Structures are given as C-alpha cells and as structure tokens.
mmCIF file of all heavy atoms in Angstrom:
data_model
loop_
_atom_site.group_PDB
_atom_site.id
_atom_site.type_symbol
_atom_site.label_atom_id
_atom_site.label_comp_id
_atom_site.label_asym_id
_atom_site.label_seq_id
_atom_site.Cartn_x
_atom_site.Cartn_y
_atom_site.Cartn_z
ATOM 1 N N ARG A 17 -124.113 61.106 36.419
ATOM 2 C CA ARG A 17 -122.716 61.235 36.015
ATOM 3 C C ARG A 17 -122.104 62.516 36.577
ATOM 4 O O ARG A 17 -122.711 63.554 36.631
ATOM 5 C CB ARG A 17 -122.626 61.251 34.486
ATOM 6 C CG ARG A 17 -121.215 61.110 33.966
ATOM 7 C CD ARG A 17 -121.210 60.516 32.569
ATOM 8 N NE ARG A 17 -121.675 59.156 32.615
ATOM 9 C CZ ARG A 17 -122.853 58.756 32.165
ATOM 10 N NH1 ARG A 17 -123.673 59.622 31.650
ATOM 11 N NH2 ARG A 17 -123.220 57.501 32.242
ATOM 12 N N GLY A 18 -120.854 62.390 36.973
ATOM 13 C CA GLY A 18 -120.193 63.525 37.597
ATOM 14 C C GLY A 18 -119.803 63.172 39.012
ATOM 15 O O GLY A 18 -119.117 63.922 39.688
ATOM 16 N N GLY A 19 -120.205 61.968 39.458
ATOM 17 C CA GLY A 19 -119.836 61.499 40.786
ATOM 18 C C GLY A 19 -118.508 60.774 40.750
ATOM 19 O O GLY A 19 -117.506 61.297 40.313
ATOM 20 N N SER A 20 -118.511 59.534 41.220
ATOM 21 C CA SER A 20 -117.279 58.752 41.316
ATOM 22 C C SER A 20 -116.925 58.160 39.959
ATOM 23 O O SER A 20 -117.581 57.233 39.482
ATOM 24 C CB SER A 20 -117.475 57.642 42.346
ATOM 25 O OG SER A 20 -116.334 56.821 42.390
ATOM 26 N N ARG A 21 -115.899 58.703 39.325
ATOM 27 C CA ARG A 21 -115.456 58.216 38.027
ATOM 28 C C ARG A 21 -113.936 58.192 37.985
ATOM 29 O O ARG A 21 -113.266 58.976 38.651
ATOM 30 C CB ARG A 21 -115.972 59.109 36.888
ATOM 31 C CG ARG A 21 -117.484 59.198 36.825
ATOM 32 C CD ARG A 21 -117.906 60.049 35.648
ATOM 33 N NE ARG A 21 -117.440 61.422 35.778
ATOM 34 C CZ ARG A 21 -117.456 62.309 34.791
ATOM 35 N NH1 ARG A 21 -117.879 61.968 33.605
ATOM 36 N NH2 ARG A 21 -117.041 63.542 34.976
ATOM 37 N N ASP A 22 -113.400 57.285 37.173
ATOM 38 C CA ASP A 22 -111.955 57.193 37.005
ATOM 39 C C ASP A 22 -111.553 57.916 35.725
ATOM 40 O O ASP A 22 -112.191 57.768 34.678
ATOM 41 C CB ASP A 22 -111.521 55.723 36.916
ATOM 42 C CG ASP A 22 -111.805 54.964 38.208
ATOM 43 O OD1 ASP A 22 -111.687 55.591 39.281
ATOM 44 O OD2 ASP A 22 -112.144 53.778 38.136
ATOM 45 N N LEU A 23 -110.481 58.692 35.805
ATOM 46 C CA LEU A 23 -109.988 59.396 34.625
ATOM 47 C C LEU A 23 -109.399 58.387 33.649
ATOM 48 O O LEU A 23 -108.486 57.642 33.979
ATOM 49 C CB LEU A 23 -108.925 60.419 35.030
ATOM 50 C CG LEU A 23 -108.335 61.257 33.887
ATOM 51 C CD1 LEU A 23 -109.405 62.124 33.252
ATOM 52 C CD2 LEU A 23 -107.182 62.101 34.402
ATOM 53 N N ALA A 24 -109.953 58.359 32.422
ATOM 54 C CA ALA A 24 -109.490 57.407 31.407
ATOM 55 C C ALA A 24 -108.455 58.028 30.477
ATOM 56 O O ALA A 24 -107.664 57.319 29.863
ATOM 57 C CB ALA A 24 -110.675 56.889 30.592
ATOM 58 N N GLY A 25 -108.451 59.360 30.352
ATOM 59 C CA GLY A 25 -107.505 60.003 29.459
ATOM 60 C C GLY A 25 -107.973 61.382 29.048
ATOM 61 O O GLY A 25 -108.979 61.894 29.553
ATOM 62 N N VAL A 26 -107.224 61.982 28.122
ATOM 63 C CA VAL A 26 -107.540 63.315 27.622
ATOM 64 C C VAL A 26 -107.523 63.263 26.101
ATOM 65 O O VAL A 26 -106.638 62.638 25.505
ATOM 66 C CB VAL A 26 -106.515 64.357 28.134
ATOM 67 C CG1 VAL A 26 -106.818 65.732 27.552
ATOM 68 C CG2 VAL A 26 -106.512 64.410 29.657
ATOM 69 N N ARG A 27 -108.473 63.910 25.478
ATOM 70 C CA ARG A 27 -108.529 63.951 24.019
ATOM 71 C C ARG A 27 -108.998 65.322 23.569
ATOM 72 O O ARG A 27 -109.438 66.140 24.380
ATOM 73 C CB ARG A 27 -109.469 62.876 23.481
ATOM 74 C CG ARG A 27 -110.894 63.031 23.962
ATOM 75 C CD ARG A 27 -111.862 62.226 23.117
ATOM 76 N NE ARG A 27 -113.203 62.210 23.669
ATOM 77 C CZ ARG A 27 -114.067 63.213 23.573
ATOM 78 N NH1 ARG A 27 -113.735 64.329 22.924
ATOM 79 N NH2 ARG A 27 -115.285 63.133 24.104
ATOM 80 N N GLU A 28 -108.936 65.575 22.241
ATOM 81 C CA GLU A 28 -109.369 66.851 21.693
ATOM 82 C C GLU A 28 -110.879 67.037 21.879
ATOM 83 O O GLU A 28 -111.651 66.078 21.827
ATOM 84 C CB GLU A 28 -109.015 66.955 20.207
ATOM 85 C CG GLU A 28 -107.531 67.105 19.936
ATOM 86 C CD GLU A 28 -107.245 67.369 18.471
ATOM 87 O OE1 GLU A 28 -108.198 67.689 17.723
ATOM 88 O OE2 GLU A 28 -106.074 67.267 18.071
ATOM 89 N N TYR A 29 -111.265 68.281 22.106
ATOM 90 C CA TYR A 29 -112.672 68.638 22.294
ATOM 91 C C TYR A 29 -113.478 68.334 21.033
ATOM 92 O O TYR A 29 -113.009 68.522 19.912
ATOM 93 C CB TYR A 29 -112.780 70.122 22.626
ATOM 94 C CG TYR A 29 -114.194 70.654 22.668
ATOM 95 C CD1 TYR A 29 -114.948 70.561 23.838
ATOM 96 C CD2 TYR A 29 -114.767 71.232 21.535
ATOM 97 C CE1 TYR A 29 -116.252 71.046 23.879
ATOM 98 C CE2 TYR A 29 -116.070 71.708 21.569
ATOM 99 C CZ TYR A 29 -116.806 71.614 22.743
ATOM 100 O OH TYR A 29 -118.090 72.088 22.770
ATOM 101 N N ARG A 30 -114.696 67.834 21.230
ATOM 102 C CA ARG A 30 -115.623 67.585 20.134
ATOM 103 C C ARG A 30 -116.934 68.290 20.434
ATOM 104 O O ARG A 30 -117.317 68.440 21.599
ATOM 105 C CB ARG A 30 -115.892 66.080 19.973
ATOM 106 C CG ARG A 30 -114.657 65.262 19.645
ATOM 107 C CD ARG A 30 -114.965 63.793 19.779
ATOM 108 N NE ARG A 30 -113.814 62.960 19.533
ATOM 109 C CZ ARG A 30 -113.737 61.684 19.841
ATOM 110 N NH1 ARG A 30 -114.756 61.089 20.418
ATOM 111 N NH2 ARG A 30 -112.655 60.981 19.582
ATOM 112 N N GLU A 31 -117.620 68.692 19.385
ATOM 113 C CA GLU A 31 -118.910 69.359 19.565
ATOM 114 C C GLU A 31 -119.831 68.492 20.408
ATOM 115 O O GLU A 31 -119.979 67.293 20.164
ATOM 116 C CB GLU A 31 -119.564 69.640 18.209
ATOM 117 C CG GLU A 31 -120.875 70.405 18.324
ATOM 118 C CD GLU A 31 -121.504 70.666 16.964
ATOM 119 O OE1 GLU A 31 -120.883 70.313 15.949
ATOM 120 O OE2 GLU A 31 -122.618 71.212 16.959
ATOM 121 N N GLY A 32 -120.430 69.078 21.422
ATOM 122 C CA GLY A 32 -121.320 68.331 22.295
ATOM 123 C C GLY A 32 -120.678 67.939 23.608
ATOM 124 O O GLY A 32 -121.383 67.536 24.544
ATOM 125 N N ASP A 33 -119.339 68.031 23.708
ATOM 126 C CA ASP A 33 -118.661 67.718 24.970
ATOM 127 C C ASP A 33 -119.026 68.752 26.030
ATOM 128 O O ASP A 33 -119.300 69.919 25.723
ATOM 129 C CB ASP A 33 -117.139 67.713 24.781
ATOM 130 C CG ASP A 33 -116.657 66.488 24.031
ATOM 131 O OD1 ASP A 33 -117.374 65.473 24.035
ATOM 132 O OD2 ASP A 33 -115.561 66.549 23.448
ATOM 133 N N ARG A 34 -118.991 68.329 27.285
ATOM 134 C CA ARG A 34 -119.324 69.244 28.375
ATOM 135 C C ARG A 34 -118.174 70.211 28.655
ATOM 136 O O ARG A 34 -117.012 69.803 28.706
ATOM 137 C CB ARG A 34 -119.645 68.451 29.633
ATOM 138 C CG ARG A 34 -120.839 67.523 29.484
ATOM 139 C CD ARG A 34 -121.133 66.809 30.773
ATOM 140 N NE ARG A 34 -119.958 66.111 31.287
ATOM 141 C CZ ARG A 34 -119.960 65.420 32.424
ATOM 142 N NH1 ARG A 34 -121.048 65.366 33.160
ATOM 143 N NH2 ARG A 34 -118.864 64.804 32.836
ATOM 144 N N VAL A 35 -118.520 71.473 28.850
ATOM 145 C CA VAL A 35 -117.513 72.500 29.112
ATOM 146 C C VAL A 35 -116.755 72.198 30.395
ATOM 147 O O VAL A 35 -115.551 72.436 30.493
ATOM 148 C CB VAL A 35 -118.178 73.895 29.192
ATOM 149 C CG1 VAL A 35 -117.167 74.954 29.605
ATOM 150 C CG2 VAL A 35 -118.807 74.259 27.848
ATOM 151 N N ARG A 36 -117.432 71.639 31.372
ATOM 152 C CA ARG A 36 -116.769 71.386 32.651
ATOM 153 C C ARG A 36 -115.699 70.294 32.570
ATOM 154 O O ARG A 36 -114.909 70.133 33.489
ATOM 155 C CB ARG A 36 -117.791 71.025 33.725
ATOM 156 C CG ARG A 36 -118.445 69.662 33.561
ATOM 157 C CD ARG A 36 -119.398 69.439 34.720
ATOM 158 N NE ARG A 36 -120.041 68.144 34.660
ATOM 159 C CZ ARG A 36 -120.919 67.721 35.565
ATOM 160 N NH1 ARG A 36 -121.253 68.516 36.572
ATOM 161 N NH2 ARG A 36 -121.459 66.533 35.476
ATOM 162 N N ASP A 37 -115.676 69.541 31.456
ATOM 163 C CA ASP A 37 -114.657 68.506 31.286
ATOM 164 C C ASP A 37 -113.417 69.022 30.551
ATOM 165 O O ASP A 37 -112.486 68.251 30.293
ATOM 166 C CB ASP A 37 -115.231 67.303 30.525
ATOM 167 C CG ASP A 37 -116.190 66.494 31.383
ATOM 168 O OD1 ASP A 37 -116.038 66.529 32.618
ATOM 169 O OD2 ASP A 37 -117.079 65.834 30.825
ATOM 170 N N LEU A 38 -113.403 70.313 30.191
ATOM 171 C CA LEU A 38 -112.243 70.875 29.514
ATOM 172 C C LEU A 38 -110.994 70.759 30.390
ATOM 173 O O LEU A 38 -111.051 70.986 31.599
ATOM 174 C CB LEU A 38 -112.493 72.336 29.164
ATOM 175 C CG LEU A 38 -113.414 72.599 27.965
ATOM 176 C CD1 LEU A 38 -113.811 74.062 27.912
ATOM 177 C CD2 LEU A 38 -112.740 72.178 26.664
ATOM 178 N N CYS A 39 -109.888 70.408 29.748
ATOM 179 C CA CYS A 39 -108.617 70.271 30.460
ATOM 180 C C CYS A 39 -107.732 71.475 30.117
ATOM 181 O O CYS A 39 -107.195 71.568 29.002
ATOM 182 C CB CYS A 39 -107.924 68.967 30.062
ATOM 183 S SG CYS A 39 -106.319 68.727 30.858
ATOM 184 N N ALA A 40 -107.616 72.408 31.043
ATOM 185 C CA ALA A 40 -106.873 73.640 30.790
ATOM 186 C C ALA A 40 -105.399 73.358 30.522
ATOM 187 O O ALA A 40 -104.766 74.033 29.694
ATOM 188 C CB ALA A 40 -107.019 74.581 31.990
ATOM 189 N N ARG A 41 -104.821 72.390 31.204
ATOM 190 C CA ARG A 41 -103.397 72.089 31.030
ATOM 191 C C ARG A 41 -103.091 71.595 29.620
ATOM 192 O O ARG A 41 -102.154 72.076 28.982
ATOM 193 C CB ARG A 41 -102.974 71.042 32.057
ATOM 194 C CG ARG A 41 -101.490 70.702 31.992
ATOM 195 C CD ARG A 41 -101.097 69.732 33.081
ATOM 196 N NE ARG A 41 -101.342 70.298 34.406
ATOM 197 C CZ ARG A 41 -101.125 69.641 35.537
ATOM 198 N NH1 ARG A 41 -100.695 68.379 35.510
ATOM 199 N NH2 ARG A 41 -101.347 70.229 36.696
ATOM 200 N N ALA A 42 -103.897 70.655 29.114
ATOM 201 C CA ALA A 42 -103.675 70.143 27.761
ATOM 202 C C ALA A 42 -103.967 71.216 26.721
ATOM 203 O O ALA A 42 -103.286 71.306 25.688
ATOM 204 C CB ALA A 42 -104.554 68.914 27.520
ATOM 205 N N TRP A 43 -104.955 72.053 26.987
ATOM 206 C CA TRP A 43 -105.298 73.144 26.077
ATOM 207 C C TRP A 43 -104.136 74.129 25.982
ATOM 208 O O TRP A 43 -103.742 74.538 24.875
ATOM 209 C CB TRP A 43 -106.555 73.837 26.577
ATOM 210 C CG TRP A 43 -107.165 74.823 25.618
ATOM 211 C CD1 TRP A 43 -106.613 75.323 24.479
ATOM 212 C CD2 TRP A 43 -108.453 75.430 25.724
ATOM 213 N NE1 TRP A 43 -107.461 76.195 23.869
ATOM 214 C CE2 TRP A 43 -108.615 76.281 24.608
ATOM 215 C CE3 TRP A 43 -109.490 75.341 26.654
ATOM 216 C CZ2 TRP A 43 -109.773 77.038 24.409
ATOM 217 C CZ3 TRP A 43 -110.648 76.090 26.450
ATOM 218 C CH2 TRP A 43 -110.783 76.922 25.342
ATOM 219 N N ALA A 44 -103.563 74.469 27.110
ATOM 220 C CA ALA A 44 -102.434 75.406 27.118
ATOM 221 C C ALA A 44 -101.214 74.809 26.426
ATOM 222 O O ALA A 44 -100.462 75.506 25.741
ATOM 223 C CB ALA A 44 -102.093 75.770 28.566
ATOM 224 N N ARG A 45 -100.993 73.531 26.600
ATOM 225 C CA ARG A 45 -99.813 72.884 26.034
ATOM 226 C C ARG A 45 -99.900 72.734 24.520
ATOM 227 O O ARG A 45 -98.916 72.880 23.796
ATOM 228 C CB ARG A 45 -99.624 71.502 26.684
ATOM 229 C CG ARG A 45 -98.335 70.800 26.243
ATOM 230 C CD ARG A 45 -98.139 69.462 26.946
ATOM 231 N NE ARG A 45 -99.164 68.498 26.573
ATOM 232 C CZ ARG A 45 -100.125 68.069 27.350
ATOM 233 N NH1 ARG A 45 -100.243 68.548 28.591
ATOM 234 N NH2 ARG A 45 -101.011 67.188 26.921
#
C-alpha cells in the first residue's frame, strides 16, 4: 500500500492512522 491508489476522500484523524496520510489543508481549514 502506498502505490497506485485513488483518493476516496478526507476525514478526521483517528488513532492508528498513518501520519503520512495527514491532510494539511483540511487541518488548517
């Protein structure tokens, strides 16, 4: 995982989520 994937959406962070999947734009907004 981490290769060819389609973006399905953005949601609030949950414990256990990967740090590299953080969305800075949604976090800032």
Side-chain angles (χ1 to χ4, degrees):
R17 191 154 293 108
S20 176
R21 300 182 297 167
D22 296 325
L23 181 64
V26 177
R27 61 163 172 78
E28 289 187 14
Y29 172 86
R30 299 169 182 166
E31 183 180 356
D33 286 337
R34 299 182 306 179
V35 174
R36 70 178 181 180
D37 287 334
L38 284 168
C39 178
R41 182 176 299 178
W43 190 348
R45 185 177 66 251

